[in-house]
């Protein structure tokens, strides 16, 4: 069978649709405009799909300046998007790909993507042509009205969500083509040294963002500096997409530098995958994420930390907290004060081997539950 064969069913065979329905063995076009390097959740998300592709032809549409050597063997890298022009470019790309063989997958979809793909289609999109993965959504009356209109105009767009609460929102808007598919992770084995090492340091991993509790981590370091506690801390302070960094985060980094805390290591450079994984060796991972924003949002960092055997300190009322409580792989606190965080850290350090082993067990179970093959099969099934 050729990967480039496209079978088109006529209106007679499509039954309820007057549009052609595609059975696609042509490429899967993965659209991720802000993907530039190996930092951030969008890289691990896309990499997991590439690893699950088993030779299926992938076209990966990313930042114009992307450096993605780890993905070049499994996908054709299309370096396309420029920061200032990407919204226009997204529309143009949708318009072009809708008229070519292959299926479109937007791996980090938002309302703008739905709006642009609807405009680009200039009609009803055929079944099986466009798939969108919504990691989360903040409901509002305006969004409900918008997606209710889309339910009528574009009934064949496939919506994927990582949690049931996001799927419920879309269903309440009248969208019926919604599936809950686990946030994908690549199948990885923990580094051998991670399985036996003792406590080494506290870690903040991923892009430095206020909604991910970076300010609270800065508060903790200030507290450690003032109390002369010799607790090693490693913070990844790489910027978000296209080098953007929040003003408050820049202020937090300046605060950290002024502490002159001798046990602080700030990682400002982009880490490759192996360097990123090594952050979690002997680590306690601080995930003091906003309780409202992350009430039901999946965290790739949590999955990465657990698979490497790093227990987590997090806030109550979040998806992360539910994972930690389910397996006992860390400590959940109610307030992100330095005293509360330090108390949780000391509790884990005192029994680090037990918490490490529970984290490794969590990683194995969650790795199976979040196997990237589930999403890839859903994307490529006819």
């Amino acid at each position: 069978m050729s990967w480039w064969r496209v079978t088109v069913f006529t209106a007679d065979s499509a039954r309820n649709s007057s549009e052609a329905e595609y059975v696609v063995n042509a490429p899967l076009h993965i659209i991720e405009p802000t993907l530039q390097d190996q930092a951030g959740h969008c890289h691990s998300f896309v990499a997991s799909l590439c690893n699950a592709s088993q030779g299926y032809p992938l076209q990966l549409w990313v930042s114009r300046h992307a450096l993605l050597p780890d993905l070049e063997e499994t996908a054709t890298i299309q370096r396309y998007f420029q920061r200032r022009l990407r919204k226009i470019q997204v529309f143009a790309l949708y318009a072009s790909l809708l008229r070519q063989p292959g299926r479109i997958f937007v791996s980090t979809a938002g309302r703008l993507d739905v709006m642009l793909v609807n405009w680009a289609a200039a009609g009803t999109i055929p079944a099986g042509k466009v798939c969108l993965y919504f990691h989360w959504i903040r409901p509002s009356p305006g969004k409900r009205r918008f997606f209710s209109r889309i339910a009528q105009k574009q009934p064949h767009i496939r919506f994927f969500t990582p949690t049931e609460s996001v799927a419920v929102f879309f269903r309440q808007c009248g969208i019926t083509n919604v599936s809950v598919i686990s946030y994908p992770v690549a199948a990885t084995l923990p580094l051998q040294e991670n399985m036996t090492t003792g406590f080494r340091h506290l870690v903040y991993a991923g892009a430095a963002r206020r909604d991910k509790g970076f300010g609270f981590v800065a508060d903790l370091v200030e507290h450690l500096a003032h109390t002369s506690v010799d607790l090693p801390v490693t913070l990844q302070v790489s910027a978000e997409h296209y080098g953007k960094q929040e003003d408050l985060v820049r202020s937090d980094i300046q605060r950290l530098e002024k502490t002159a805390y001798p046990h602080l290591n700030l990682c400002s450079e982009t880490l490759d995958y192996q360097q990123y994984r090594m952050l979690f060796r002997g680590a306690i991972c601080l995930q003091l994420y906003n309780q409202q924003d992350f009430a039901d949002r999946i965290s790739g960092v949590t999955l990465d930390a657990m698979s490497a055997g790093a227990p987590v300190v997090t806030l109550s009322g979040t998806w992360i907290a539910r994972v930690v409580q389910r397996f006992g792989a860390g400590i959940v606190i109610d307030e992100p004060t330095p005293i509360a965080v330090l108390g949780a850290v000391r509790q884990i350090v005192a029994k680090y081997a037990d918490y490490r082993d529970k984290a490794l067990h969590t990683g194995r179970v969650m790795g199976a539950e979040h196997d990237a093959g589930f999403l890839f099969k859903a994307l490529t099934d006819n």
Side-chain angles (χ1 to χ4, degrees):
M1 179 188 299
S2 169
W3 286 116
W4 294 90
R5 179 179 64 83
V6 178
T7 304
V8 180
F9 293 98
T10 66
D12 290 339
S13 62
R15 292 187 180 180
N16 296 328
S17 173
S18 60
E19 299 293 326
E21 180 171 311
Y22 287 75
V23 177
V24 182
N25 287 318
L28 176 65
H29 296 279
I30 302 176
I31 317 297
E32 189 57 80
T34 61
L35 181 54
Q36 185 159 299
D37 52 37
Q38 292 181 301
H41 77 279
C42 60
H43 174 269
S44 61
F45 187 102
V46 170
S48 68
L49 282 180
C50 291
N51 290 340
S53 63
Q54 298 184 335
Y56 197 101
L58 304 179
Q59 297 279 327
L60 182 55
W61 298 83
V62 295
S63 166
R64 184 178 181 180
H65 303 293
L67 295 173
L68 302 165
D70 60 317
L71 303 184
E72 291 180 347
E73 290 187 5
T74 52
T76 300
I77 310 297
Q78 302 288 357
R79 296 172 175 85
Y80 179 73
F81 295 102
Q82 300 180 59
R83 177 182 176 182
R84 297 183 184 278
L85 300 176
R86 71 178 184 270
K87 292 180 182 178
I88 297 172
Q89 290 177 308
V90 165
F91 174 79
L93 182 61
Y94 290 160
S96 174
L97 295 181
L98 282 168
R99 290 156 182 80
Q100 296 179 31
R103 181 167 292 174
I104 298 168
F105 176 55
V106 184
S107 50
T108 309
R111 177 167 57 168
L112 180 62
D113 294 291
V114 181
M115 184 182 302
L116 293 179
V117 79
N118 175 53
W119 288 346
T124 303
I125 295 171
K129 186 65 177 175
V130 173
C131 304
L132 307 174
Y133 198 99
F134 273 78
H135 295 238
W136 69 292
I137 194 162
R138 184 178 289 123
S140 70
K143 289 177 184 175
R144 292 185 187 280
R145 289 191 295 270
F146 171 78
F147 285 105
S148 294
R149 291 194 297 270
I150 288 297
Q152 300 299 317
K153 292 182 178 180
Q154 299 294 354
H156 304 307
I157 293 178
R158 299 183 68 188
F159 287 76
F160 295 120
T161 72
T163 58
E164 184 63 29
S165 65
V166 182
V168 166
F169 169 81
F170 289 123
R171 292 182 187 125
Q172 289 174 343
C173 294
I175 295 171
T176 58
N177 201 353
V178 184
S179 300
V180 178
I181 302 289
S182 298
Y183 183 105
V185 295
T188 57
L189 295 174
L191 301 174
Q192 191 63 36
E193 56 267 37
N194 289 24
M195 301 177 70
T196 57
T197 190
F199 171 72
R200 294 175 59 242
H201 59 173
L202 302 182
V203 161
Y204 175 95
R209 282 170 38 184
R210 266 299 177 105
D211 65 338
K212 293 191 173 182
F214 190 79
F216 300 135
V217 175
D219 294 342
L220 174 66
V221 173
E222 283 188 324
H223 176 76
L224 296 177
H226 293 153
T227 54
S228 301
V229 177
D230 59 347
L231 196 61
V233 181
T234 301
L235 309 182
Q236 193 174 1
V237 295
S238 52
E240 190 64 284
H241 307 308
Y242 293 109
K244 292 190 299 181
Q245 202 165 58
E246 300 168 278
D247 290 340
L248 287 173
V249 168
R250 284 195 293 270
S251 176
D252 291 332
I253 293 172
Q254 291 170 0
R255 279 201 292 144
L256 289 165
E257 292 169 343
K258 288 178 181 178
T259 66
Y261 183 56
H263 309 289
L264 175 63
N265 177 29
L266 297 178
C267 298
S268 57
E269 71 279 3
T270 298
L271 304 178
D272 64 27
Y273 179 65
Q274 285 303 112
Q275 291 171 324
Y276 170 75
R277 289 192 73 200
M278 287 300 291
L279 281 180
F280 298 108
R281 185 167 71 90
I284 295 174
C285 185
L286 301 178
Q287 288 197 269
L288 307 175
Y289 289 15
N290 182 282
Q291 289 159 294
Q292 180 178 353
D293 289 347
F294 288 86
D296 206 25
R297 286 172 67 176
I298 307 296
S299 168
V301 172
T302 303
L303 300 174
D304 294 335
M306 295 300 180
S307 68
V312 169
V313 174
T314 193
L315 295 179
S316 58
T318 62
W319 176 88
I320 305 167
R322 292 195 291 277
V323 171
V324 169
Q325 291 168 329
R326 175 184 171 190
F327 296 96
I331 300 293
V332 176
I333 57 178
D334 294 323
E335 297 291 338
T337 64
I339 298 299
V341 177
L342 185 56
V345 167
R346 284 174 167 159
Q347 187 175 340
I348 295 174
V349 170
K351 297 183 177 180
Y352 188 77
D354 290 342
Y355 281 102
R356 180 200 61 215
D357 292 346
K358 289 178 181 178
L360 287 168
H361 172 68
T362 305
R364 288 189 287 269
V365 175
M366 298 293 285
E369 293 177 354
H370 291 258
D371 190 323
F374 298 138
L375 178 56
F376 194 82
K377 185 176 187 298
L379 289 171
T380 54
D381 272 356
N382 296 327

